[in-house]
Amino acid sequence: MGKIIAIANQKGGVGKTTTSVNLAASLGVLEKKVLLIDADPQANATSGLGIDVESVDIGTYQLLEHTNSAAQAVLKTDSPNLDLIPAHIDLVAIEIELVDKDQREYMLKKALEDIKDHYDYILIDCAPSLGLLTLNALTASDAVIIPIQCEYFALEGLGKLLNTVKSVQKIHNPELDIEGLLLTMYDSRLRLSNQVVEEVQKHFNDMVFSTIIQRNVKLSEAPSYGESIINYDASSKGASNYLSLAKEIITKNS
């Protein structure tokens, strides 16, 4: 049975999509069967895996509308063992369209029932907001990974997100766990980076992944080539960080 993990933080620019794409690719390279769902209208995970967003006919939007099945939305990627359900800018409209639907928070959960068992891991790249899209992702998931950048204001907004997770646990999905907090964009030369790491580890202790994602030029370059860091430069620091995270998650779940 596949484990569904949402990658969420309502702050933009914390490394959500970078983590979604590269963790998915790393798990795939480690011989796990992985599905990545792009649930962000910006569709960066889709283009970051080399899929032309304009050519997307069936994706997350159709999944949430229940006009197509999950199996119909799945695309193969160039990354080993990695499939994708792509996004398109039309996903922007979904929040408005779902508003008066019954069971609107459960649309994604229902859509994934048919294919959940085909994968070891299903990762959901969430939009940088706490709207209906992210709520659907959290309701459908077994766990959530929260990326936190090692920068000023890193913890701002974290309380709000943790409260959202709590209310989803209470109302929609009692099974939802926090898989871990992931420190991203770490620069060992900066005192601030080190302070953030210390602070997050002090406050959240066991909830923090041992793996820390370092700032890495190759990580920022890879998406413009439509490749994961594993395909783009497997010897880079970014690749070894994400492989390490993937191993940590596999060990935790075995």
Side-chain angles (χ1 to χ4, degrees), residues 111-185:
L112 295 179
E113 276 163 9
D114 297 350
I115 60 163
K116 188 172 176 181
D117 298 344
H118 301 182
Y119 295 94
D120 298 309
Y121 291 96
I122 296 177
L123 303 184
I124 307 173
D125 183 26
C126 295
S129 75
L130 293 176
L132 254 181
L133 261 174
T134 300
L135 207 51
N136 259 279
L138 293 173
T139 302
S141 295
D142 303 303
V144 55
I145 289 174
I146 302 171
I148 297 171
Q149 90 240 63
C150 297
E151 286 174 9
Y152 202 59
F153 295 136
L155 296 177
E156 196 187 61
L158 186 59
K160 199 170 174 186
L161 179 61
L162 292 172
N163 284 337
T164 301
V165 169
K166 272 198 195 108
S167 70
V168 170
Q169 286 167 329
K170 205 158 63 196
I171 305 165
H172 306 297
N173 181 4
E175 309 296 303
L176 183 66
D177 269 335
I178 290 180
E179 188 76 11
L181 306 182
L182 175 68
L183 291 157
T184 61
M185 304 181 191

Side-chain angles (χ1 to χ4, degrees), residues 6-211:
I7 293 156
N9 190 329
Q10 77 274 28
K11 281 181 75 161
V14 296
K16 267 193 307 292
T17 300
T18 303
T19 296
S20 303
V21 168
N22 295 312
L23 174 57
S26 300
L27 287 164
V29 167
L30 296 170
E31 299 187 344
K32 297 292 175 192
K33 207 159 165 8
V34 187
L35 172 66
L36 175 59
I37 299 171
D38 192 346
D40 181 350
Q42 293 171 52
N44 291 340
T46 302
S47 59
L49 281 168
I51 308 287
D52 172 19
V53 174
E54 290 310 311
S55 70
V56 170
D57 291 327
I58 305 173
T60 312
Y61 177 83
Q62 285 73 19
L63 210 58
L64 287 159
E65 284 274 284
H66 291 182
T67 48
N68 288 90
S69 71
Q72 290 171 316
V74 169
L75 298 176
K76 290 260 168 274
T77 73
D78 294 338
S79 230
N81 300 315
L82 175 56
D83 289 348
L84 172 75
I85 291 183
H88 184 275
I89 189 69
D90 61 8
L91 198 51
V92 165
I94 202 76
E95 305 254 333
I96 298 154
E97 290 177 25
L98 288 182
V99 135
D100 49 6
K101 291 254 169 86
D102 267 353
Q103 302 262 300
R104 59 185 183 210
E105 296 90 355
Y106 298 90
M107 293 301 188
L108 188 57
K109 187 182 174 76
K110 286 184 191 142
L112 295 179
E113 276 163 9
D114 297 350
I115 60 163
K116 188 172 176 181
D117 298 344
H118 301 182
Y119 295 94
D120 298 309
Y121 291 96
I122 296 177
L123 303 184
I124 307 173
D125 183 26
C126 295
S129 75
L130 293 176
L132 254 181
L133 261 174
T134 300
L135 207 51
N136 259 279
L138 293 173
T139 302
S141 295
D142 303 303
V144 55
I145 289 174
I146 302 171
I148 297 171
Q149 90 240 63
C150 297
E151 286 174 9
Y152 202 59
F153 295 136
L155 296 177
E156 196 187 61
L158 186 59
K160 199 170 174 186
L161 179 61
L162 292 172
N163 284 337
T164 301
V165 169
K166 272 198 195 108
S167 70
V168 170
Q169 286 167 329
K170 205 158 63 196
I171 305 165
H172 306 297
N173 181 4
E175 309 296 303
L176 183 66
D177 269 335
I178 290 180
E179 188 76 11
L181 306 182
L182 175 68
L183 291 157
T184 61
M185 304 181 191
Y186 173 72
D187 184 340
S188 57
R189 297 164 306 184
L190 298 180
R191 206 168 112 226
L192 179 63
S193 265
N194 293 305
Q195 282 172 337
V196 171
V197 170
E198 275 171 36
E199 197 166 322
V200 171
Q201 287 171 339
K202 188 176 80 194
H203 282 294
F204 297 101
N205 212 334
D206 300 346
M207 285 165 69
V208 188
F209 285 110
S210 316
T211 304

